[in-house]
Amino acid sequence: MKQPSFLPLSQYIEYQPGEMQERADWFKKELQRRRTVRDFSTRPIPDGVIEDCLIAAGTAPNGANLQPWHFAVVKNAKIKSEIRAAAEKEEKEFYDSRASEEWLEDLYPLGTDHNKPFLEEAPCLIAIFSKSYGFNEDGSKKKHYYVKESVGIASGMLITALHYSGLATLTHTPSPMGFLNKILDRPENERPFLLLVTGYPAENAEVPDIKKKELHEIASFIK
Ligand code: IYR
């Protein structure tokens, strides 16, 4: 086997503790401002922003650096309509029969239902696919590792990058999402992971009055 090749870690920046704390605090506040939005404006997104955010997402740590993801960017109105129709069909079944009472109760504060107008109104849908496996040069299957973890991390980084750029997102998961392979012509080794709706929020956009847990509820500091 070829010897692995190493380079010096030249891009690392060390901050002094004071500056480190300031940066951590600033970034925390920046992310505390992020809200999932369900009312989108039809305003188009400036060229290049989505591309940069996808490059940022593609830097995510992942299993054996096999980068088991694909991002299908949809701006075309006809394709967005097809996605809306297919998603609403699944969602109608979910809200009318598939979802348990407990699930519907948990969703109540979010005010969601099977109507998904944002799938047509938002200027951009990013369908995120996880590649369950890849292909070797000879066409045989190539195993991928920690696929869900990898794609989950990349998705989080994408949401963060879009937020930092000034765009709102909605992490949408119509279930099942198999229709995305068909509409977007993606191969069978790719599984829809989530549908990220992105754009400017509508001028009158409202968000549910819900809170994030406090630090002591989400973390323990072991002594
Ligand atoms: N996919 C449905 C239901 C839904 C489920 C969860 I868990 C949410 O956090 C939000 C919605 C929908 O998009 O309406």
Side-chain angles (χ1 to χ4, degrees):
M1 237 209 266
K2 197 169 147 263
Q3 281 293 106
S5 163
F6 284 83
L7 298 169
L9 175 63
S10 56
Q11 295 176 91
Y12 173 76
I13 301 174
E14 179 173 328
Y15 300 105
Q16 292 310 305
E19 191 178 355
M20 186 185 274
Q21 181 58 65
E22 261 174 41
R23 291 175 65 95
D25 181 58
W26 182 88
F27 198 68
K28 168 193 74 187
K29 289 182 176 137
E30 183 60 28
L31 289 200
Q32 282 176 325
R33 263 190 334 102
R34 189 200 62 80
R35 292 299 311 255
T36 287
V37 162
R38 289 186 169 79
D39 303 316
F40 285 87
S41 153
T42 57
R43 273 168 78 193
I45 297 168
D47 285 344
V49 174
I50 297 290
E51 286 80 353
D52 275 344
C53 291
L54 289 171
I55 293 169
T59 67
N62 67 91
N65 198 34
L66 295 172
Q67 305 165 61
W69 42 63
H70 180 83
F71 303 93
V73 179
V74 182
K75 296 182 175 169
N76 179 289
K78 192 166 157 279
I79 300 176
K80 286 193 292 178
S81 301
E82 278 180 52
I83 292 175
R84 177 181 180 183
E88 285 184 337
K89 188 161 165 266
E90 298 297 353
E91 294 290 278
K92 176 119 181 63
E93 231 174 89
F94 171 82
Y95 283 96
D96 288 355
S97 50
R98 272 206 309 266
S100 62
E101 277 306 308
E102 182 184 8
W103 198 340
L104 291 177
E105 234 171 78
D106 285 337
L107 289 180
Y108 182 75
L110 305 182
T112 55
D113 61 25
H114 74 273
N115 292 302
K116 306 296 177 193
F118 48 74
L119 292 174
E120 283 184 293
E121 288 163 0
C124 180
L125 309 178
I126 306 175
I128 306 177
F129 291 85
S130 61
K131 292 182 162 184
S132 330
Y133 57 89
F135 295 100
N136 294 305
E137 275 180 17
D138 65 2
S140 58
K141 282 188 184 178
K142 170 86 198 82
K143 195 167 166 26
H144 283 168
Y145 311 95
Y146 298 102
V147 172
K148 281 191 180 163
E149 292 83 347
S150 302
V151 184
I153 295 167
S155 300
M157 290 173 65
L158 178 57
I159 291 165
T160 307
L162 291 164
H163 167 72
Y164 184 76
S165 308
L167 291 169
T169 58
L170 164 62
T171 314
H172 184 41
T173 50
S175 165
M177 281 193 277
F179 62 84
L180 287 173
N181 284 74
K182 229 175 158 187
I183 295 176
L184 303 175
D185 197 23
R186 298 310 308 167
E188 72 140 57
N189 64 318
E190 294 183 10
R191 287 170 65 99
F193 184 73
L194 58 85
L195 187 55
L196 199 62
V197 182
T198 189
Y200 293 93
E203 254 172 48
N204 55 352
E206 290 190 345
V207 291
D209 182 11
I210 53 175
K211 301 270 170 299
K212 294 300 183 194
K213 291 180 179 173
E214 299 285 331
L215 178 61
H216 70 89
E217 297 173 281
I218 64 168
S220 51
F221 297 86
I222 316 294
K223 293 215 173 87

Short mmCIF file of all heavy atoms in Angstrom, two decimals, residues 82-129:
data_model
loop_
_atom_site.label_atom_id
_atom_site.label_comp_id
_atom_site.label_asym_id
_atom_site.label_seq_id
_atom_site.Cartn_x
_atom_site.Cartn_y
_atom_site.Cartn_z
N GLU A 82 -43.27 20.04 -8.06
CA GLU A 82 -43.36 18.57 -8.01
C GLU A 82 -42.99 18.08 -6.61
O GLU A 82 -43.63 17.17 -6.07
CB GLU A 82 -42.37 17.94 -9.01
CG GLU A 82 -42.88 17.87 -10.42
CD GLU A 82 -41.85 17.23 -11.34
OE1 GLU A 82 -41.36 16.13 -11.04
OE2 GLU A 82 -41.53 17.87 -12.37
N ILE A 83 -41.95 18.69 -6.03
CA ILE A 83 -41.53 18.28 -4.68
C ILE A 83 -42.63 18.61 -3.68
O ILE A 83 -42.97 17.80 -2.81
CB ILE A 83 -40.19 18.95 -4.30
CG1 ILE A 83 -39.06 18.38 -5.17
CG2 ILE A 83 -39.88 18.77 -2.81
CD1 ILE A 83 -37.71 19.04 -4.98
N ARG A 84 -43.23 19.78 -3.83
CA ARG A 84 -44.32 20.16 -2.91
C ARG A 84 -45.47 19.15 -2.98
O ARG A 84 -45.96 18.68 -1.94
CB ARG A 84 -44.82 21.57 -3.22
CG ARG A 84 -45.99 21.94 -2.33
CD ARG A 84 -46.56 23.30 -2.61
NE ARG A 84 -47.68 23.56 -1.70
CZ ARG A 84 -48.42 24.64 -1.72
NH1 ARG A 84 -48.18 25.60 -2.60
NH2 ARG A 84 -49.42 24.80 -0.86
N ALA A 85 -45.87 18.83 -4.20
CA ALA A 85 -47.01 17.91 -4.35
C ALA A 85 -46.70 16.55 -3.72
O ALA A 85 -47.53 16.00 -2.97
CB ALA A 85 -47.35 17.75 -5.84
N ALA A 86 -45.50 16.04 -3.97
CA ALA A 86 -45.14 14.72 -3.43
C ALA A 86 -45.01 14.77 -1.91
O ALA A 86 -45.45 13.86 -1.20
CB ALA A 86 -43.84 14.24 -4.07
N ALA A 87 -44.42 15.84 -1.39
CA ALA A 87 -44.23 15.96 0.07
C ALA A 87 -45.59 16.10 0.75
O ALA A 87 -45.85 15.45 1.77
CB ALA A 87 -43.34 17.15 0.39
N GLU A 88 -46.46 16.92 0.19
CA GLU A 88 -47.77 17.12 0.83
C GLU A 88 -48.60 15.85 0.85
O GLU A 88 -49.37 15.61 1.78
CB GLU A 88 -48.53 18.28 0.16
CG GLU A 88 -47.95 19.63 0.56
CD GLU A 88 -48.71 20.82 0.00
OE1 GLU A 88 -49.42 20.67 -1.02
OE2 GLU A 88 -48.57 21.93 0.58
N LYS A 89 -48.41 15.01 -0.17
CA LYS A 89 -49.13 13.73 -0.20
C LYS A 89 -48.70 12.87 1.00
O LYS A 89 -49.55 12.33 1.71
CB LYS A 89 -48.82 13.02 -1.53
CG LYS A 89 -49.63 11.81 -1.79
CD LYS A 89 -49.59 11.46 -3.28
CE LYS A 89 -50.09 10.05 -3.51
NZ LYS A 89 -49.03 9.06 -3.55
N GLU A 90 -47.39 12.79 1.22
CA GLU A 90 -46.89 12.00 2.37
C GLU A 90 -47.30 12.65 3.69
O GLU A 90 -47.68 11.97 4.64
CB GLU A 90 -45.35 11.89 2.33
CG GLU A 90 -44.79 11.17 1.12
CD GLU A 90 -45.21 9.71 1.04
OE1 GLU A 90 -45.84 9.19 1.97
OE2 GLU A 90 -44.90 9.07 0.01
N GLU A 91 -47.19 13.97 3.73
CA GLU A 91 -47.48 14.67 4.98
C GLU A 91 -48.96 14.56 5.36
O GLU A 91 -49.30 14.49 6.54
CB GLU A 91 -47.10 16.16 4.85
CG GLU A 91 -45.61 16.38 4.68
CD GLU A 91 -44.83 16.09 5.95
OE1 GLU A 91 -44.77 16.94 6.83
OE2 GLU A 91 -44.30 14.99 6.07
N LYS A 92 -49.82 14.54 4.32
CA LYS A 92 -51.25 14.42 4.60
C LYS A 92 -51.51 13.09 5.29
O LYS A 92 -52.23 13.03 6.30
CB LYS A 92 -52.05 14.54 3.28
CG LYS A 92 -53.53 14.35 3.40
CD LYS A 92 -54.28 15.61 2.97
CE LYS A 92 -55.79 15.48 3.10
NZ LYS A 92 -56.29 15.28 4.46
N GLU A 93 -50.88 12.06 4.77
CA GLU A 93 -51.05 10.74 5.39
C GLU A 93 -50.49 10.72 6.80
O GLU A 93 -51.05 10.12 7.70
CB GLU A 93 -50.36 9.68 4.54
CG GLU A 93 -51.28 8.54 4.23
CD GLU A 93 -50.63 7.58 3.28
OE1 GLU A 93 -49.96 6.67 3.76
OE2 GLU A 93 -50.80 7.80 2.06
N PHE A 94 -49.35 11.41 6.96
CA PHE A 94 -48.71 11.46 8.29
C PHE A 94 -49.66 12.13 9.28
O PHE A 94 -49.96 11.57 10.34
CB PHE A 94 -47.39 12.24 8.19
CG PHE A 94 -46.76 12.54 9.53
CD1 PHE A 94 -46.00 11.57 10.19
CD2 PHE A 94 -46.93 13.78 10.14
CE1 PHE A 94 -45.42 11.85 11.42
CE2 PHE A 94 -46.35 14.06 11.38
CZ PHE A 94 -45.60 13.08 12.02
N TYR A 95 -50.14 13.32 8.94
CA TYR A 95 -50.99 14.06 9.90
C TYR A 95 -52.35 13.39 10.08
O TYR A 95 -52.92 13.43 11.17
CB TYR A 95 -51.14 15.52 9.48
CG TYR A 95 -49.91 16.34 9.80
CD1 TYR A 95 -48.92 16.57 8.84
CD2 TYR A 95 -49.72 16.87 11.08
CE1 TYR A 95 -47.79 17.30 9.15
CE2 TYR A 95 -48.58 17.61 11.40
CZ TYR A 95 -47.62 17.82 10.42
OH TYR A 95 -46.50 18.54 10.74
N ASP A 96 -52.89 12.77 9.00
CA ASP A 96 -54.22 12.17 9.10
C ASP A 96 -54.21 10.80 9.76
O ASP A 96 -55.19 10.42 10.40
CB ASP A 96 -54.86 12.02 7.70
CG ASP A 96 -55.28 13.37 7.15
OD1 ASP A 96 -55.15 14.37 7.89
OD2 ASP A 96 -55.70 13.43 5.98
N SER A 97 -53.12 10.04 9.58
CA SER A 97 -53.19 8.68 10.13
C SER A 97 -51.87 8.13 10.66
O SER A 97 -51.87 7.43 11.67
CB SER A 97 -53.78 7.71 9.10
OG SER A 97 -53.14 7.84 7.87
N ARG A 98 -50.75 8.38 10.01
CA ARG A 98 -49.52 7.70 10.44
C ARG A 98 -49.00 8.17 11.79
O ARG A 98 -48.47 7.39 12.57
CB ARG A 98 -48.41 7.85 9.39
CG ARG A 98 -48.44 6.78 8.32
CD ARG A 98 -47.07 6.57 7.70
NE ARG A 98 -46.46 7.80 7.26
CZ ARG A 98 -46.55 8.28 6.02
NH1 ARG A 98 -47.22 7.62 5.11
NH2 ARG A 98 -45.96 9.40 5.70
N ALA A 99 -49.13 9.47 12.09
CA ALA A 99 -48.55 10.01 13.33
C ALA A 99 -49.36 9.56 14.54
O ALA A 99 -50.59 9.53 14.50
CB ALA A 99 -48.53 11.53 13.26
N SER A 100 -48.65 9.22 15.61
CA SER A 100 -49.34 8.83 16.85
C SER A 100 -49.90 10.09 17.51
O SER A 100 -49.47 11.22 17.21
CB SER A 100 -48.35 8.15 17.78
OG SER A 100 -47.32 9.07 18.13
N GLU A 101 -50.83 9.89 18.44
CA GLU A 101 -51.39 11.02 19.21
C GLU A 101 -50.27 11.78 19.92
O GLU A 101 -50.26 13.01 19.97
CB GLU A 101 -52.39 10.50 20.25
CG GLU A 101 -53.78 10.25 19.69
CD GLU A 101 -54.35 11.48 18.98
OE1 GLU A 101 -54.35 12.57 19.57
OE2 GLU A 101 -54.77 11.34 17.80
N GLU A 102 -49.33 11.00 20.48
CA GLU A 102 -48.22 11.62 21.23
C GLU A 102 -47.40 12.51 20.31
O GLU A 102 -47.02 13.63 20.66
CB GLU A 102 -47.32 10.52 21.83
CG GLU A 102 -46.17 11.11 22.65
CD GLU A 102 -45.22 10.06 23.20
OE1 GLU A 102 -45.34 8.87 22.82
OE2 GLU A 102 -44.35 10.44 24.00
N TRP A 103 -47.13 12.01 19.10
CA TRP A 103 -46.33 12.78 18.14
C TRP A 103 -47.07 14.07 17.76
O TRP A 103 -46.49 15.16 17.76
CB TRP A 103 -46.03 11.91 16.91
CG TRP A 103 -44.89 12.42 16.08
CD1 TRP A 103 -44.39 13.69 16.07
CD2 TRP A 103 -44.11 11.69 15.13
NE1 TRP A 103 -43.36 13.80 15.17
CE2 TRP A 103 -43.16 12.57 14.58
CE3 TRP A 103 -44.13 10.36 14.67
CZ2 TRP A 103 -42.23 12.18 13.60
CZ3 TRP A 103 -43.20 9.98 13.69
CH2 TRP A 103 -42.26 10.88 13.17
N LEU A 104 -48.35 13.95 17.48
CA LEU A 104 -49.13 15.15 17.10
C LEU A 104 -49.15 16.16 18.25
O LEU A 104 -49.07 17.37 18.02
CB LEU A 104 -50.55 14.76 16.68
CG LEU A 104 -50.65 13.97 15.36
CD1 LEU A 104 -52.09 13.56 15.09
CD2 LEU A 104 -50.09 14.77 14.18
N GLU A 105 -49.23 15.63 19.46
CA GLU A 105 -49.22 16.52 20.63
C GLU A 105 -47.88 17.26 20.75
O GLU A 105 -47.84 18.45 21.05
CB GLU A 105 -49.42 15.68 21.89
CG GLU A 105 -50.57 16.13 22.77
CD GLU A 105 -50.82 15.11 23.85
OE1 GLU A 105 -50.06 15.08 24.83
OE2 GLU A 105 -51.78 14.32 23.67
N ASP A 106 -46.79 16.51 20.49
CA ASP A 106 -45.46 17.12 20.56
C ASP A 106 -45.27 18.18 19.47
O ASP A 106 -44.50 19.13 19.63
CB ASP A 106 -44.37 16.05 20.44
CG ASP A 106 -44.21 15.24 21.72
OD1 ASP A 106 -44.61 15.75 22.79
OD2 ASP A 106 -43.70 14.11 21.65
N LEU A 107 -45.95 17.98 18.33
CA LEU A 107 -45.81 18.94 17.22
C LEU A 107 -46.70 20.16 17.39
O LEU A 107 -46.49 21.19 16.75
CB LEU A 107 -46.14 18.26 15.89
CG LEU A 107 -45.13 17.23 15.37
CD1 LEU A 107 -45.61 16.65 14.05
CD2 LEU A 107 -43.75 17.85 15.20
N TYR A 108 -47.69 20.04 18.28
CA TYR A 108 -48.70 21.10 18.41
C TYR A 108 -48.08 22.50 18.59
O TYR A 108 -48.48 23.45 17.90
CB TYR A 108 -49.67 20.77 19.56
CG TYR A 108 -50.75 21.79 19.71
CD1 TYR A 108 -51.81 21.84 18.79
CD2 TYR A 108 -50.70 22.74 20.73
CE1 TYR A 108 -52.79 22.81 18.91
CE2 TYR A 108 -51.68 23.72 20.84
CZ TYR A 108 -52.72 23.74 19.93
OH TYR A 108 -53.67 24.71 20.02
N PRO A 109 -47.06 22.66 19.47
CA PRO A 109 -46.49 24.01 19.67
C PRO A 109 -45.86 24.60 18.41
O PRO A 109 -45.67 25.82 18.31
CB PRO A 109 -45.41 23.79 20.74
CG PRO A 109 -45.69 22.47 21.36
CD PRO A 109 -46.43 21.66 20.34
N LEU A 110 -45.51 23.74 17.45
CA LEU A 110 -44.86 24.24 16.23
C LEU A 110 -45.89 24.72 15.21
O LEU A 110 -45.55 25.44 14.26
CB LEU A 110 -44.00 23.15 15.59
CG LEU A 110 -42.94 22.50 16.48
CD1 LEU A 110 -42.13 21.48 15.68
CD2 LEU A 110 -42.00 23.55 17.06
N GLY A 111 -47.14 24.33 15.38
CA GLY A 111 -48.20 24.78 14.48
C GLY A 111 -48.07 24.24 13.06
O GLY A 111 -48.53 24.88 12.11
N THR A 112 -47.46 23.08 12.90
CA THR A 112 -47.30 22.53 11.54
C THR A 112 -48.53 21.73 11.12
O THR A 112 -49.29 21.25 11.95
CB THR A 112 -46.07 21.59 11.47
OG1 THR A 112 -46.21 20.58 12.47
CG2 THR A 112 -44.78 22.35 11.71
N ASP A 113 -48.70 21.61 9.81
CA ASP A 113 -49.73 20.69 9.28
C ASP A 113 -49.23 20.20 7.92
O ASP A 113 -48.05 20.41 7.59
CB ASP A 113 -51.10 21.37 9.20
CG ASP A 113 -51.10 22.57 8.27
OD1 ASP A 113 -50.25 22.62 7.36
OD2 ASP A 113 -51.94 23.47 8.46
N HIS A 114 -50.12 19.58 7.13
CA HIS A 114 -49.62 18.97 5.89
C HIS A 114 -49.39 19.98 4.76
O HIS A 114 -48.83 19.63 3.73
CB HIS A 114 -50.59 17.87 5.42
CG HIS A 114 -51.85 18.41 4.82
ND1 HIS A 114 -52.95 18.73 5.58
CD2 HIS A 114 -52.16 18.71 3.54
CE1 HIS A 114 -53.89 19.20 4.78
NE2 HIS A 114 -53.44 19.20 3.55
N ASN A 115 -49.79 21.22 4.96
CA ASN A 115 -49.59 22.22 3.91
C ASN A 115 -48.16 22.73 3.93
O ASN A 115 -47.68 23.19 4.97
CB ASN A 115 -50.55 23.40 4.11
CG ASN A 115 -51.97 22.98 3.87
OD1 ASN A 115 -52.31 22.50 2.79
ND2 ASN A 115 -52.80 23.12 4.90
N LYS A 116 -47.49 22.65 2.80
CA LYS A 116 -46.08 23.03 2.74
C LYS A 116 -45.83 24.05 1.63
O LYS A 116 -45.06 23.81 0.68
CB LYS A 116 -45.20 21.78 2.51
CG LYS A 116 -45.45 20.65 3.52
CD LYS A 116 -45.07 21.05 4.94
CE LYS A 116 -45.37 19.97 5.95
NZ LYS A 116 -45.30 20.46 7.34
N PRO A 117 -46.50 25.24 1.70
CA PRO A 117 -46.33 26.24 0.64
C PRO A 117 -44.88 26.69 0.47
O PRO A 117 -44.44 27.05 -0.63
CB PRO A 117 -47.21 27.41 1.10
CG PRO A 117 -47.47 27.18 2.56
CD PRO A 117 -47.41 25.70 2.76
N PHE A 118 -44.10 26.61 1.58
CA PHE A 118 -42.70 27.07 1.50
C PHE A 118 -41.89 26.27 0.48
O PHE A 118 -40.87 26.74 0.00
CB PHE A 118 -42.04 27.02 2.89
CG PHE A 118 -42.24 25.72 3.62
CD1 PHE A 118 -41.56 24.58 3.26
CD2 PHE A 118 -43.13 25.65 4.69
CE1 PHE A 118 -41.74 23.38 3.93
CE2 PHE A 118 -43.33 24.45 5.38
CZ PHE A 118 -42.64 23.31 4.99
N LEU A 119 -42.36 25.05 0.15
CA LEU A 119 -41.59 24.26 -0.82
C LEU A 119 -41.65 24.88 -2.22
O LEU A 119 -40.79 24.59 -3.05
CB LEU A 119 -42.10 22.81 -0.86
CG LEU A 119 -41.82 22.00 0.42
CD1 LEU A 119 -42.48 20.64 0.36
CD2 LEU A 119 -40.32 21.86 0.66
N GLU A 120 -42.66 25.75 -2.47
CA GLU A 120 -42.70 26.48 -3.75
C GLU A 120 -42.24 27.92 -3.58
O GLU A 120 -41.63 28.50 -4.47
CB GLU A 120 -44.13 26.48 -4.30
CG GLU A 120 -44.52 25.17 -4.93
CD GLU A 120 -45.90 25.25 -5.54
OE1 GLU A 120 -46.87 25.39 -4.78
OE2 GLU A 120 -45.99 25.16 -6.78
N GLU A 121 -42.55 28.50 -2.41
CA GLU A 121 -42.26 29.93 -2.22
C GLU A 121 -40.77 30.21 -2.00
O GLU A 121 -40.23 31.18 -2.52
CB GLU A 121 -43.07 30.45 -1.03
CG GLU A 121 -44.55 30.56 -1.34
CD GLU A 121 -45.43 30.67 -0.11
OE1 GLU A 121 -44.90 30.68 1.02
OE2 GLU A 121 -46.66 30.74 -0.28
N ALA A 122 -40.11 29.37 -1.22
CA ALA A 122 -38.68 29.61 -0.94
C ALA A 122 -37.90 29.50 -2.25
O ALA A 122 -38.23 28.67 -3.09
CB ALA A 122 -38.17 28.60 0.08
N PRO A 123 -36.88 30.34 -2.42
CA PRO A 123 -36.16 30.33 -3.70
C PRO A 123 -35.30 29.09 -3.90
O PRO A 123 -34.93 28.78 -5.03
CB PRO A 123 -35.28 31.58 -3.62
CG PRO A 123 -35.12 31.85 -2.15
CD PRO A 123 -36.39 31.39 -1.51
N CYS A 124 -34.97 28.39 -2.81
CA CYS A 124 -34.00 27.31 -2.96
C CYS A 124 -34.29 26.16 -2.00
O CYS A 124 -34.50 26.37 -0.81
CB CYS A 124 -32.60 27.88 -2.68
SG CYS A 124 -31.29 26.67 -2.83
N LEU A 125 -34.33 24.96 -2.55
CA LEU A 125 -34.44 23.74 -1.72
C LEU A 125 -33.13 22.98 -1.91
O LEU A 125 -32.67 22.80 -3.04
CB LEU A 125 -35.59 22.86 -2.21
CG LEU A 125 -36.97 23.52 -2.38
CD1 LEU A 125 -37.99 22.50 -2.91
CD2 LEU A 125 -37.43 24.14 -1.07
N ILE A 126 -32.54 22.57 -0.80
CA ILE A 126 -31.32 21.75 -0.91
C ILE A 126 -31.68 20.36 -0.40
O ILE A 126 -31.92 20.18 0.80
CB ILE A 126 -30.15 22.34 -0.11
CG1 ILE A 126 -29.90 23.80 -0.50
CG2 ILE A 126 -28.89 21.49 -0.31
CD1 ILE A 126 -28.82 24.51 0.33
N ALA A 127 -31.76 19.41 -1.32
CA ALA A 127 -32.05 18.03 -0.92
C ALA A 127 -30.71 17.39 -0.57
O ALA A 127 -29.80 17.32 -1.40
CB ALA A 127 -32.73 17.28 -2.05
N ILE A 128 -30.60 16.95 0.70
CA ILE A 128 -29.34 16.36 1.15
C ILE A 128 -29.50 14.84 1.13
O ILE A 128 -30.43 14.29 1.73
CB ILE A 128 -28.99 16.85 2.57
CG1 ILE A 128 -28.98 18.38 2.61
CG2 ILE A 128 -27.66 16.26 3.03
CD1 ILE A 128 -28.71 18.98 3.99
N PHE A 129 -28.62 14.19 0.40
CA PHE A 129 -28.65 12.73 0.29
C PHE A 129 -27.44 12.14 1.01
O PHE A 129 -26.35 12.70 0.96
CB PHE A 129 -28.57 12.31 -1.18
CG PHE A 129 -29.79 12.65 -1.98
CD1 PHE A 129 -29.94 13.91 -2.55
CD2 PHE A 129 -30.80 11.71 -2.17
CE1 PHE A 129 -31.07 14.24 -3.29
CE2 PHE A 129 -31.94 12.03 -2.91
CZ PHE A 129 -32.07 13.29 -3.47
#
